[in-house]
């Protein structure tokens, strides 16, 4: 009942969603007004929406970009965590050197990603570096200053009964969610063994452009 008293010790404490564990409000009985005498908590999203340039809105935006949440509370950080799980084929292995960058190709792909266009066709002869350039683009999108969700799919990920890429994307994200859940369960098990208690609960899992790569491009060992 401490939350019901003005100036109670729990004032400022979190109000959690019982299903996901997400913080949805902050206890704030001191904010009660005559018109709303039963208002004991400050809803975070509604309050931030009322003042989009305020400190709370900035805090929630930073939180969404840095603290992964999944399920019904999926945010940017959670989406980056899910899609990043699919990018293993695009990442360097061990001490493998970075391929030689081709500025013209980087410029064209950067123009595409900032154009709002939906499809880019990257074509070239076998060994010209198409896969290498797409892997580099995936790394730039994921590891840059403004990360964007990026999923790595191969032709082998498509199935005859697929009606669109959405089917392959759904399978990739489902598998990524399974991997993250397994990793989380393993981490919780380790924390239980070490500390005698489980780890804290987390919140879950029109136009086009055309670019041709000339050959040769790069050593085939990097393609």
């Amino acid at each position: 009942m401490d939350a019901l008293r003005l100036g109670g010790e729990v004032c400022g404490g979190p109000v959690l969603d019982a299903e996901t564990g997400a913080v949805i409000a902050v206890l704030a009985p001191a904010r009660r007004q005559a018109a709303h005498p039963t208002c004991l908590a400050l809803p975070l999203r509604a309050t931030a929406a009322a003042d989009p340039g305020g400190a709370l809105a900035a805090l929630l935006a930073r939180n969404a970009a840095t603290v992964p949440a999944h399920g019904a509370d999926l945010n940017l950080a959670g989406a980056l965590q899910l899609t990043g799980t699919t990018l293993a084929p695009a990442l360097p292995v061990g001490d493998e050197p970075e391929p030689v960058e081709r500025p013209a190709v980087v410029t064209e792909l950067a123009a595409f990603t900032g154009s709002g266009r939906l499809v880019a066709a990257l074509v070239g002869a076998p060994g010209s570096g198409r896969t290498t350039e797409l892997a580099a683009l995936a790394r730039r999108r994921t590891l840059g200053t403004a990360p964007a969700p990026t999923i790595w799919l191969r032709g082998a990920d498509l199935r005859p009964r697929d009606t669109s890429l959405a089917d392959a994307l759904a399978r990739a994200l489902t598998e990524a969610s399974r991997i993250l859940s397994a990793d989380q369960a393993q981490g919780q098990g380790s924390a239980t063994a070490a500390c005698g208690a489980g780890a804290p609960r987390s919140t879950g899992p029109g136009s086009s452009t055309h670019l041709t790569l000339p050959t040769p491009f790069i050593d085939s060992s990097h393609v």
Side-chain angles (χ1 to χ4, degrees):
M1 298 297 292
D2 183 76
L4 300 178
R5 296 188 296 107
L6 295 179
E9 291 184 1
V10 299
C11 184
V15 178
L16 304 181
D17 184 305
E19 182 176 351
T20 67
V23 178
I24 58 176
V26 173
L27 292 173
R31 293 292 297 267
R32 285 186 291 181
Q33 300 176 3
H36 303 284
T38 60
C39 180
L40 302 177
L42 193 65
L44 295 181
R45 295 189 182 279
T47 304
D51 183 18
L56 179 59
L59 175 63
L60 292 181
R62 185 180 66 183
N63 186 74
T66 56
V67 181
H70 297 277
D73 299 304
L74 182 68
N75 58 11
L76 174 59
L80 289 171
Q81 190 179 53
L82 276 174
T83 57
T85 304
T86 72
L87 294 178
L91 300 176
V93 178
D95 296 328
E96 179 181 341
E98 287 285 341
V100 177
E101 184 178 278
R102 300 183 71 181
V105 178
V106 172
T107 299
E108 289 289 344
L109 291 177
F112 162 71
T113 56
S115 68
R117 296 176 178 176
L118 301 180
V119 179
L122 183 62
V123 300
S128 62
R130 293 167 297 176
T131 302
T132 299
E133 281 299 333
L134 289 175
L137 173 61
R139 292 195 296 273
R140 289 195 297 272
R141 282 176 55 87
T142 305
L143 304 176
T145 56
T150 305
I151 297 178
W152 185 266
L153 291 179
R154 304 166 300 160
D157 295 318
L158 305 179
R159 297 179 182 175
R161 294 186 179 181
D162 287 348
T163 58
S164 70
L165 281 177
D167 296 326
L169 290 173
R171 285 193 298 272
L173 290 175
T174 299
E175 177 64 11
S177 179
R178 184 194 66 78
I179 292 172
L180 288 177
S181 296
D183 289 345
Q184 182 184 30
Q186 183 178 4
Q188 288 178 337
S190 299
T192 301
C195 306
R201 180 185 181 188
S202 67
T203 57
S207 53
S208 64
T209 188
H210 187 277
L211 179 61
T212 300
L213 294 183
T215 188
F217 162 42
I218 199 167
D219 190 311
S220 60
S221 64
H222 297 308
V223 176

